[in-house]
Amino acid sequence: MTYLHDVWLGVIEGITEFLPISSTGHLLLAEHWLGARSETYNIVIQAGAILAVTLIYWRRIVELLANWRQPENRDYLVKLTVAFGITAVLGLIVKKLGFELPTTIQPVAWALVIGGFWMIAAESYAARLKDSSVITLKVAIAVGLAQIVAGIFPGTSRSASTIFIAMILGTSNRAAATEFAFLVGIPTMYAASGYELLKQAMHGGGHENWTSLGIAFVVSTVTAFIAVKWLLGFIQTHRFTSFAIYRIVFGGLLLVLSAAGIVG
């Protein structure tokens, strides 16, 4: 039965990591019934989702790196580097200061609800802007800062915060904003996962069931690949409104369950 739990956790992580609905709230609720997992376990299944997005964008990544001398590719790489650099530097400072809200039901639920309303307002504003796929330096800086905000406030959703800040600051094209947010997320999340795994290893890390961890990793990778592929097709013709409504409803449900003492 334990391995079935690993499958479920892998599916939940894979679906929710890159969709703008926050993986944190879903994993918190799942672990309430399926049992809490170690920090190493959670990091590794997240790495599965990152691997999936890397596979989806591998052609774009190779194109950018192989043809970096082309002005448009070089400019895009500079913007990616700026966004990642801001996140890396400020992220280390935030970690050292210990400035992060607790990963518990109530703050995560409020972040889901508030984030849902923010998404509706941001997309409504972006819809009135001229369609643009250009990533400006302002957008790159803001995306880097948005990743820090998502790290400080669990439940915010890294993808939601980065996509929508890009959209309201000028990259109003949903596909272009999403691509930049996901490409920035690849090195950011690899670095964060590597940092946390190194920290776990240095502090002993405890004993892991590597079979369970391996199952969850593979399931997370496959599920995330399918989920992100679907999302990239969906946003070509649809707005993010359905995700925003889902966040508000799910966050509200978590608040009700917490108030009733069903989840803590």
Side-chain angles (χ1 to χ4, degrees), residues 37-59:
R37 296 301 193 269
S38 70
E39 188 65 26
T40 301
Y41 184 100
N42 290 330
I43 293 165
V44 170
I45 65 170
Q46 184 185 60
I50 309 166
L51 175 60
V53 174
T54 307
L55 294 172
I56 288 171
Y57 281 107
W58 75 268
R59 286 189 180 87

Side-chain angles (χ1 to χ4, degrees), residues 16-92:
T16 60
E17 182 61 52
F18 282 92
L19 267 59
I21 54 176
S22 172
S23 60
T24 306
H26 293 81
L27 287 173
L28 270 178
L29 189 59
E31 289 185 1
H32 176 78
W33 282 294
L34 302 180
R37 296 301 193 269
S38 70
E39 188 65 26
T40 301
Y41 184 100
N42 290 330
I43 293 165
V44 170
I45 65 170
Q46 184 185 60
I50 309 166
L51 175 60
V53 174
T54 307
L55 294 172
I56 288 171
Y57 281 107
W58 75 268
R59 286 189 180 87
R60 177 67 167 139
I61 294 168
V62 169
E63 177 208 345
L64 286 168
L65 295 176
N67 301 309
W68 64 271
R69 289 186 177 85
Q70 294 180 8
E72 63 273 21
N73 286 344
R74 187 165 61 248
D75 181 70
Y76 200 90
L77 283 170
V78 167
K79 304 294 173 48
L80 286 173
T81 303
V82 167
F84 171 69
I86 289 171
T87 301
V89 173
L90 293 183
L92 285 173

Side-chain angles (χ1 to χ4, degrees), residues 24-25 59 64 70 75 96 99 107 115 136 173 180 187 195 201 203 212 235 238 263:
T24 306
R59 286 189 180 87
L64 286 168
Q70 294 180 8
D75 181 70
K96 293 296 182 184
F99 190 58
T136 62
N173 182 278
F180 186 77
Y195 175 83
H203 291 84
S212 292
I235 61 174
H238 297 78
V263 295

Side-chain angles (χ1 to χ4, degrees), residues 1 15 28 43 49 52 66 78 82 90 109 116 139 142 165 174 185 208 225:
M1 195 65 179
I15 291 174
L28 270 178
I43 293 165
V78 167
V82 167
L90 293 183
V139 166
I165 198 67
R174 285 189 298 271
E208 293 293 335
F225 188 93

Side-chain angles (χ1 to χ4, degrees), residues 56-57 123 131-133 163 167 172-180 182 227-243:
I56 288 171
Y57 281 107
E123 188 156 41
D131 185 66
S132 173
S133 299
I163 290 168
M167 288 178 65
S172 54
N173 182 278
R174 285 189 298 271
T178 301
E179 179 184 78
F180 186 77
F182 283 5
V228 173
K229 275 285 193 182
W230 171 82
L231 177 67
L232 295 177
F234 178 84
I235 61 174
Q236 296 293 330
T237 54
H238 297 78
R239 296 176 68 165
F240 285 100
T241 308
S242 55
F243 295 108

